[in-house]
Amino acid sequence: MRFEPRPFTQPVPFRCEFCLDCCRGRHVYLTLKDIERIARAGHDPQDFVTFSVEGNKIRFVLAVREWDLGCVFHDPETGKCRIHEVNPVICRIYPFMVSRKPLGVKGERPFQYKGQRLWLYYDASCPGINADEPETLINPEEIAELGLEFERELERTDMEGLARLMDELER
């Protein structure tokens, strides 16, 4: 699936179609809170955390299966997530996107939220967007809130924090 950004300015009906595309071939960045939540649900971080070096920063990334590059928590038979109740913030955002800068997409405009200027988008290639029988209506405010949460938590996520978290989890 290719990301086809469209401006997200009003509520959008959504239902996951379990197409499997969002759970395969993507870097899913993890915050320390994500790692802790998943670990406390009974999963060993050594089984799901990998690393990515970006410039001078180390980022934690959700592990993928080698044979299809699918997320280790994705069930390829059902298309469902085995940790949906505790999934990473970035997974709760997708198929939406929060940016600090415009992408150059026709019709985009800034979205003001809690004193922040953001640009919001949805992925038009996702078959769950504007589904015929939606499960929910996603509004820009909830995606903006998740985007700001992700940004704050990612900034606080580092190797020292992971070491402290691993110590806490072992007690």
Side-chain angles (χ1 to χ4, degrees), residues 57-80:
K57 288 206 168 226
I58 293 176
R59 296 288 187 207
F60 305 116
V61 180
L62 200 55
V64 296
R65 295 182 300 256
E66 287 184 26
W67 58 272
D68 71 345
L69 300 179
C71 168
V72 293
F73 293 118
H74 170 256
D75 182 336
E77 291 181 20
T78 65
K80 296 185 179 180

Side-chain angles (χ1 to χ4, degrees), residues 77-102:
E77 291 181 20
T78 65
K80 296 185 179 180
C81 177
R82 292 186 290 119
I83 61 162
H84 186 74
E85 298 77 31
V86 295
N87 68 356
V89 172
I90 202 77
C91 294
R92 287 185 264 150
I93 293 171
Y94 193 82
F96 299 90
M97 178 188 162
V98 180
S99 178
R100 289 285 183 174
K101 299 183 265 187

Side-chain angles (χ1 to χ4, degrees), residues 6-9 101-110 119-121:
R6 298 289 186 276
F8 177 41
T9 57
K101 299 183 265 187
L103 297 180
V105 174
K106 183 180 177 180
E108 69 189 354
R109 63 179 191 257
W119 279 262
L120 306 178
Y121 304 90

